[in-house]
Amino acid sequence: MVNLGKWTSLIVSIFINIYLSCGTEVLTNHWLVELEGEGGIDAAKAVAKRTGFNYVSPLLGSQREFHFTHSAVPHIRTRRSIIHTRKLKAHPMVKKAIQQTGFRRAKRGFKPKIRGVPVSEIRLKDPESAKLLDYSKSYSYAEPQDPLFQKEWYLKNVGQSGGKPGLDLNVEIAWAMGYTGKDVTTAIMDDGIDYLHEDLKNNYNAKASYDFSSNDPYPYPRYTDTWFNSHGTRCAGEVAAARDNNVCGVGVAYNSKVAGLRMLDQPFMTDLIEANAMSHMPNDIDIYSASWGPTDDGKTVDGPRNMTMRAIVKGVNEGRHGKGNIYVWASGDGGADDDCNCDGYAASMWTVSINSATNDGQTAGYDESCSSTLASTFSNGKSTLRDAGVATTDLYNNCTTTHSGTSAAAPEAAGVYALAIEANRELTWRDVQHITVLTSKRNRLFDPYLKHHWKFNGAGLQFNHLFGYGVMDAGAMVDLSRKWKPLPERFHCTAGSVTEKMQFGTNQPIQMHIDTDACSGKSNEVNYLEHVQAFVTLKSTYRGNIVMFITSPMNTTSMILSQRPNDDDHKNGFTRWPFMTTHTWAENARGRWKLQITLAEGKNNAVDTGSFFEWTLILHGTKTAPYDNQVSDEENHNKLFKVKRLHKTLKA
C-alpha cells in the first residue's frame, strides 16, 4: 500500500525547497490577527468563526494578537491569499491581518567531513590539563549502572573511543554533591519526543508539552522510514534519561524533566510557530533547548523574525517568574566555511550559544566558529572508531551511540544548567551566563589547524574563537551556583556611530574608531562589559569575502565575521546586522573601540570591492563591579578570583 502521507510530505518539501532556492516568497495558511481593544480569546474565536478561519491560540499570551489558520488555503503557495486577508480586515474587530511567510529551519546534524583531514591522523599539540574540582573525599558516590554509561564518554571520559581521560563535563562531581536536576524542566524544541520510551517516560513533563505542528498536546514524532524524526528524542535523552533502570544510558540531569515542543517537523517554519513555541508555558519551563537554525550552507544570513524576537525577550525578562528563561542554542554545523554570527539565534545575547568538541579535545569538522559562542560541550569522538558518537535514547524504545553534531552539544549544556538551577533556584538568565564564563575551562581543547589560539582578554579571562570560554564543568558550575549572589542591574549604552560612506576592497581594509565614555555619569553607565554588539550596514561584490574585527579599549580583538567562501551575495550585504562578541566579558568599556573591515582574497584571485555605510556600537553590562559580592577562593574558582582582583585594581 502506498503511504500517501509520506509522499505528500515529500512533495511539499520538494516544492518549498524549489521556491526558496529560487528566491520565491512562500506563503502559508497561517495568519497573525490583531484585534481592536482587549477582545480576548472569546472574541478571537468569534472572529475566526465569522470569517471562516480556524482559531489556534493567542500570541505570547496576548489579549489582542492571535494565530489563525484557514483550511481552504494550501499549506504553501507563491501568491498571497488577498481575498482571505481582505475578509479578515473587513471584520470591525480586526485591526491587522498578516499572512505568514514560510522559511527554512534546519536541524543541526553530523556532516562527516573534516576539511579533507582524516580525524585519526590529527595529533594533540601542546596539551594542557585543567585543574578540576575534586570532592571525591567529601562525598560518597556510586557510578550509574545503565548499560550504555561506559560509552557516555562526554559524562566520564576514561579514554574510551580514543578520547583524552578527564575531558568531559565533570558531572560526577555535581551528582556526588547531590544535584541531579530535580524539579527543573527543559523543553526540547524539535521534531517531537518519544515520551513512551522507557528511559524518558517517568521524566516526561506532559503538562508543559505541546505539538505546534498538529496543534494538540501530544508531540509524538511523525513516523518516517529513515527515522529522520528521531532528533528530538535523542536530544531529550541527553538531558533526562533515567538512571539505573537498565535502559540505554543516563542523562546529564537524570532526575530533571523534559517537555516536548514539536515544531520542526514540517517543510516550512513561520514566525508565529517559532514565537509560540519559545513562549510556551514560560513559568513551567526553565530551559529551552534548540538544536536547529537557519540552513548551514555557508551563505545564509538569517535569524528570528519580529514575533520570535519578542518571545525571546519576553522570556528572559518575565519567564521563570521574572528570573528569565534560559535559551540554549547549537552554534551550527556549517564548518569552517560558515560563521555563526550570521545566525541571528546563536548570535543573540539573549541565548547561550554552545559549540562542540570531540572526545580528544579537537574542534569537530562541522563546527562553526564565531565571537558570540559562550562555551562548548561535546558532540562525537573519532569517527573512525566504533561507538564514538553520543550515546542516548532513540525512537521506539531503542538506544543509539551515533548522535552527533552541535545538535548533541546544546542538550548537554541544557542538562548542566538544570543541575545549576537545582543548586540555586534564584539564578537569573544573566547569572547563568556569568557562571558559564567563570567556570568553563580550557581543559585540553585545541584547534588542530592552529588557526584559533587561546588568548586572555583585558579582564584576565581566557577565551578561544572556536570554544568560547572553554568546556563546561558541571561540578564547578553547581559549586559556584549554590553560593552565587545577585548581580548588579544591567544597562545598555549606545557608544556612538560612524555613518561616513567608505570604500574598501580585496586586501585593502578600512579602519574606523569610536571613542566612548560608556555613558559615564548617566543612569545607563556601563563600566563592566557583558555583551558587545556592532550593528553594521555594508555590501560588497562578494559578501562571503568580508572579514571584520573589533578591538576593545583593553586591546582584545574579536573576529566578528570570518570569510564564508560560499556566500556569493552581491546585492543585499548586511543591513544593521547585530554582530556580537562575548570576548570582552568583564572588561572596562571606556576608551577607543576600533572596527576593521576588509575583503579577503576569493576564488581565482578575484578582486572585490565593497561599500561601508554605518557602524553603531552598543555596550551591555553593569555600572558596578559584578563580582564584588561573590564568594570565591583561588583554589576552586580561579577565574572569579582573578577578575575580582583586577576590578579592585581598576577601581583603585
Side-chain angles (χ1 to χ4, degrees):
M1 181 180 292
V2 177
N3 187 333
L4 294 178
K6 182 180 77 171
W7 284 107
T8 300
S9 176
L10 178 61
I11 292 169
V12 169
S13 179
I14 290 173
F15 272 111
I16 197 167
N17 286 335
I18 291 173
Y19 292 153
L20 290 174
S21 63
C22 294
T24 304
E25 184 180 47
V26 174
L27 283 307
T28 72
N29 64 340
H30 299 257
W31 269 260
L32 168 65
V33 178
E34 183 179 348
L35 302 185
E36 297 281 1
E38 300 290 333
I41 292 175
D42 290 339
K45 288 180 177 179
V47 170
K49 184 176 182 180
R50 181 69 179 268
T51 56
F53 279 77
N54 304 309
Y55 168 85
V56 179
S57 68
L59 173 65
L60 311 183
S62 172
Q63 293 295 303
R64 299 177 59 181
E65 295 176 293
F66 299 92
H67 181 185
F68 286 8
T69 62
H70 202 295
S71 302
V73 177
H75 288 288
I76 60 169
R77 53 183 291 147
T78 57
R79 295 183 181 180
R80 292 191 175 274
S81 303
I82 297 175
I83 186 171
H84 295 95
T85 301
R86 283 177 177 171
K87 192 168 185 179
L88 277 171
K89 288 182 175 179
H91 194 286
M93 290 191 67
V94 174
K95 180 179 180 181
K96 181 171 64 177
I98 302 174
Q99 188 177 6
Q100 296 291 288
T101 57
F103 45 85
R104 280 196 186 111
R105 289 294 175 260
K107 304 170 192 176
R108 306 303 191 197
F110 174 64
K111 294 175 177 60
K113 180 182 178 183
I114 303 195
R115 296 169 66 180
V117 181
V119 183
S120 59
E121 293 179 10
I122 299 173
R123 295 290 180 265
L124 183 66
K125 295 180 176 64
D126 190 25
E128 177 181 315
S129 298
K131 191 173 186 180
L132 302 178
L133 292 173
D134 183 6
Y135 294 103
S136 58
K137 297 178 181 178
S138 306
Y139 297 90
S140 59
Y141 169 73
E143 190 173 276
Q145 298 303 303
D146 301 83
L148 288 186
F149 177 70
Q150 299 302 327
K151 295 178 190 257
E152 292 182 287
W153 51 265
Y154 57 98
L155 301 182
K156 185 174 183 177
N157 194 337
V158 294
Q160 64 270 57
S161 299
K164 297 292 180 182
L167 182 59
D168 53 43
L169 295 173
N170 197 29
V171 296
E172 287 191 312
I173 298 300
W175 295 343
M177 293 166 68
Y179 300 110
T180 57
K182 295 184 189 73
D183 300 323
V184 180
T185 294
T186 299
I188 306 296
M189 300 187 293
D190 215 286
D191 56 16
I193 289 180
D194 181 357
Y195 46 79
L196 301 178
H197 197 292
E198 289 294 325
D199 222 14
L200 294 174
K201 65 181 185 180
N202 292 326
N203 286 340
Y204 177 66
N205 188 335
K207 176 187 173 185
S209 299
Y210 196 77
D211 189 329
F212 290 93
S213 294
S214 301
N215 294 315
D216 62 55
Y218 309 106
Y220 198 84
R222 177 178 58 86
Y223 173 79
T224 66
D225 289 341
T226 60
W227 282 28
F228 181 68
N229 292 323
S230 62
H231 197 254
T233 300
R234 294 178 174 192
C235 292
E238 290 180 87
V239 178
R243 174 177 170 154
D244 294 339
N245 63 344
N246 203 35
V247 180
C248 297
V250 60
V252 174
Y254 55 78
N255 277 327
S256 69
K257 299 291 185 181
V258 284
L261 300 181
R262 180 173 174 256
M263 37 89 79
L264 277 189
D265 178 24
Q266 49 198 327
F268 61 87
M269 182 57 62
T270 70
D271 196 13
L272 273 172
I273 292 174
E274 281 190 0
N276 279 328
M278 292 184 204
S279 62
H280 183 68
M281 300 192 72
N283 289 327
D284 295 88
I285 293 170
D286 299 285
I287 304 157
Y288 295 82
S289 180
S291 292
W292 52 269
T295 308
D296 288 326
D297 56 7
K299 58 184 178 181
T300 297
V301 177
D302 199 2
R305 269 62 167 176
N306 177 263
M307 287 176 285
T308 300
M309 184 56 74
R310 284 171 52 193
I312 294 173
V313 172
K314 184 179 175 70
V316 297
N317 284 319
E318 301 176 18
R320 295 178 56 236
H321 303 285
K323 292 183 284 292
N325 296 119
I326 317 302
Y327 293 92
V328 184
W329 226 274
S331 61
D333 289 352
D337 290 341
D338 209 345
D339 188 299
C340 41
N341 249 352
C342 293
D343 174 348
Y345 300 88
S348 170
M349 61 187 176
W350 312 116
T351 68
V352 181
S353 176
I354 299 294
N355 209 343
S356 69
T358 57
N359 63 348
D360 60 350
Q362 303 173 43
T363 175
Y366 44 76
D367 283 341
E368 293 180 36
S369 61
C370 64
S371 57
S372 54
T373 294
L374 201 66
S376 299
T377 55
F378 298 98
S379 51
N380 53 282
K382 295 185 175 182
S383 59
T384 56
L385 297 175
R386 189 177 181 182
D387 296 337
V390 168
T392 182
T393 50
D394 211 348
L395 288 177
Y396 317 127
N397 223 38
N398 284 285
C399 316
T400 182
T401 57
T402 61
H403 189 40
S404 62
T406 52
S407 278
E412 291 170 18
V416 174
Y417 290 144
L419 300 176
I421 290 172
E422 184 195 2
N424 185 346
R425 305 283 178 180
E426 299 303 311
L427 291 182
T428 68
W429 71 275
R430 286 178 57 221
D431 293 330
V432 164
Q433 293 203 23
H434 276 270
I435 297 170
T436 300
V437 169
L438 294 171
T439 59
S440 296
K441 292 179 170 63
R442 175 177 177 175
N443 203 305
R444 301 181 185 185
L445 303 184
F446 74 108
D447 175 13
Y449 308 104
L450 304 180
K451 185 178 178 182
H452 301 294
H453 303 283
W454 286 92
K455 303 174 184 177
F456 286 93
N457 74 5
L461 295 171
Q462 194 174 29
F463 69 93
N464 184 286
H465 188 71
L466 283 166
F467 302 114
Y469 286 94
V471 64
M472 293 180 69
D473 184 319
M477 191 153 196
V478 298
D479 184 64
L480 186 55
S481 294
R482 60 184 182 166
K483 307 170 185 175
W484 192 254
K485 307 297 182 184
L487 288 166
E489 186 178 358
R490 169 188 168 98
F491 300 102
H492 73 269
C493 167
T494 302
S497 297
V498 175
T499 56
E500 176 187 355
K501 185 176 179 180
M502 289 180 265
Q503 303 300 315
F504 58 99
T506 301
N507 297 320
Q508 294 179 334
I510 56 173
Q511 184 168 298
M512 62 206 78
H513 65 267
I514 291 174
D515 293 317
T516 180
D517 64 0
C519 300
S520 178
K522 299 179 182 178
S523 60
N524 60 328
E525 181 177 342
V526 174
N527 293 320
Y528 303 92
L529 287 169
E530 292 176 7
H531 308 88
V532 173
Q533 291 178 300
F535 288 81
V536 178
T537 301
L538 51 71
K539 63 180 180 180
S540 76
T541 53
Y542 201 94
R543 184 172 64 183
N545 288 336
I546 300 172
V547 178
M548 291 194 287
F549 296 89
I550 191 169
T551 302
S552 73
M554 297 189 77
N555 209 34
T556 299
T557 297
S558 304
M559 181 165 60
I560 58 174
L561 178 63
S562 60
Q563 188 175 12
R564 302 198 310 157
N566 299 323
D567 184 359
D568 59 359
D569 172 82
H570 63 280
K571 293 181 180 179
N572 299 317
F574 295 98
T575 302
R576 287 191 59 78
W577 186 259
F579 297 95
M580 195 268 280
T581 180
T582 61
H583 295 169
T584 56
W585 201 276
E587 287 190 3
N588 189 296
R590 289 198 194 109
R592 174 163 291 188
W593 289 82
K594 302 172 187 176
L595 180 68
Q596 184 185 69
I597 305 172
T598 190
L599 279 164
E601 194 172 281
K603 298 175 182 176
N604 303 318
N605 299 319
V607 176
D608 296 297
T609 59
S611 299
F612 166 84
F613 300 100
E614 181 187 6
W615 165 38
T616 298
L617 179 66
I618 309 291
L619 309 171
H620 303 267
T622 61
K623 181 177 181 179
T624 58
Y627 308 134
D628 274 1
N629 296 326
Q630 305 304 331
V631 177
S632 67
D633 60 81
E634 191 171 7
E635 178 70 19
N636 289 339
H637 304 297
N638 188 260
K639 282 187 181 181
L640 175 56
F641 183 84
K642 286 197 299 183
V643 176
K644 282 180 67 174
R645 186 171 56 189
L646 176 66
H647 284 175
K648 287 180 180 179
T649 303
L650 290 174
K651 285 194 294 184

